[in-house]
Amino acid sequence: MPPTLYRAAVEGIDSLAYNVRGFRLKLIEPQTLAFQAGQFIILNVPKDGKTVKRAYSIASTPHDPYTIELCIQHVEGGIASTYFWGLKEGDPVSISGPHGNFLLKEPLDYDPVFIATGTGVAPLRAMIRHLFHGNMTRSISLLFGTRYEHALLYESEFRTLASLRRNFHYFPTVSRPKVWHGEVGHVQQTFQKYITDHTNVEVYLCGWLEVVRAICKDLEARGVPKAKLHYEEWA
């Protein structure tokens, strides 16, 4: 179906890190947005009498079509993030969607491995939550790489999920730790350490495009077939 223009309002704002916030948008007209985990919306930002369009992955799951969650990093001078940082609960927002083909491969007869850097964890969070909403029993792994431990988004949520679901494996990895007792280095190294059998996995990556491409190149060199690596060019 073609993307639809939506009127929405800010329902809630959460601090996810010192420069990252989670925004929950309640859909007003139309009241529901039918999307698939991994897709994104386009935000219409008013700027000097014009409209600036920016893409943001949906961090929430399709089973709640009345609200969507976005994970947004504040960028100095960034038009869209500056606009969002000025919003408060109840403010109107204009979006269109859904967009994108970064979707889980069907049928789900494999062990999905998710690799995220920064706010790239947003669509992967949607995919993981969607899988567990459907009672996925296969092994699911999330490798989340950041420079510093305070930048691990949704950290308590993922740790709680790992404690509740034996088939969910969470591997946060920090490259420049200060006070950290987990994996240190880059996610490629963590992948090599824990994902030793590539036979029945599909790997989904999201983050800065240059970083994702570098990770894919490294994983291919480590023996992961290119056909098993999935990411979206706009990310």
Side-chain angles (χ1 to χ4, degrees):
M1 293 180 63
T4 302
L5 183 66
Y6 289 83
R7 288 194 304 111
V10 178
E11 187 177 64
I13 303 172
D14 300 309
S15 176
L16 302 179
Y18 79 96
N19 64 340
V20 181
R21 291 178 182 173
F23 292 84
R24 188 169 60 258
L25 307 181
K26 180 179 178 60
L27 300 168
I28 298 174
E29 188 179 353
Q31 292 184 327
T32 61
L33 193 162
F35 66 95
Q36 296 182 67
Q39 290 190 297
F40 64 94
I41 56 93
I42 296 292
L43 170 69
N44 301 305
V45 184
K47 178 68 174 178
D48 300 328
K50 300 180 180 180
T51 299
V52 177
K53 298 181 181 294
R54 291 290 186 271
Y56 287 102
S57 292
I58 301 172
S60 50
T61 53
H63 69 266
D64 178 11
Y66 301 98
T67 61
I68 63 168
E69 295 179 36
L70 305 176
C71 173
I72 300 177
Q73 178 178 339
H74 186 260
V75 178
E76 192 66 33
I79 294 174
S81 64
T82 299
Y83 167 76
F84 260 110
W85 251 243
L87 294 176
K88 60 184 183 298
E89 291 187 15
D91 283 348
V93 177
S94 173
I95 63 173
S96 72
H99 302 267
N101 297 301
F102 183 48
L103 307 173
L104 289 164
K105 182 180 176 181
E106 299 283 352
L108 294 165
D109 56 356
Y110 55 87
D111 298 331
V113 176
F114 300 98
I115 301 179
T117 62
T119 55
V121 75
L124 307 186
R125 175 186 185 243
M127 289 178 172
I128 292 167
R129 295 179 66 184
H130 171 68
L131 288 173
F132 281 119
H133 182 72
N135 294 317
M136 178 73 158
T137 57
R138 299 191 68 98
S139 175
I140 301 172
S141 300
L142 170 62
L143 291 73
F144 190 1
T146 62
R147 289 184 178 180
Y148 309 106
E149 52 266 41
H150 60 71
L152 288 166
L153 310 175
Y154 307 109
E155 170 77 347
S156 61
E157 176 181 317
F158 291 134
R159 288 196 181 278
T160 298
L161 185 59
S163 70
L164 295 175
R165 300 275 191 166
R166 290 186 177 182
N167 61 324
F168 179 61
H169 313 288
Y170 176 50
F171 305 109
T173 305
V174 178
S175 61
R176 300 180 186 178
K178 294 183 178 180
V179 181
W180 177 247
H181 303 290
E183 298 296 326
V184 175
H186 299 287
V187 288
Q188 302 96 303
Q189 298 166 313
T190 304
F191 183 96
Q192 186 179 27
K193 181 177 178 180
Y194 292 102
I195 314 298
T196 55
D197 185 358
H198 312 152
T199 306
N200 201 32
V201 303
E202 297 290 336
V203 184
Y204 300 86
L205 308 96
C206 194
W208 288 108
L209 185 55
E210 294 78 7
V211 175
V212 167
R213 285 174 173 166
I215 294 173
C216 285
K217 185 176 180 180
D218 196 356
L219 294 184
E220 285 184 62
R222 297 172 189 268
V224 182
K226 185 176 182 179
K228 290 181 175 289
L229 302 173
H230 311 281
Y231 64 95
E232 195 157 48
E233 285 290 339
W234 74 268

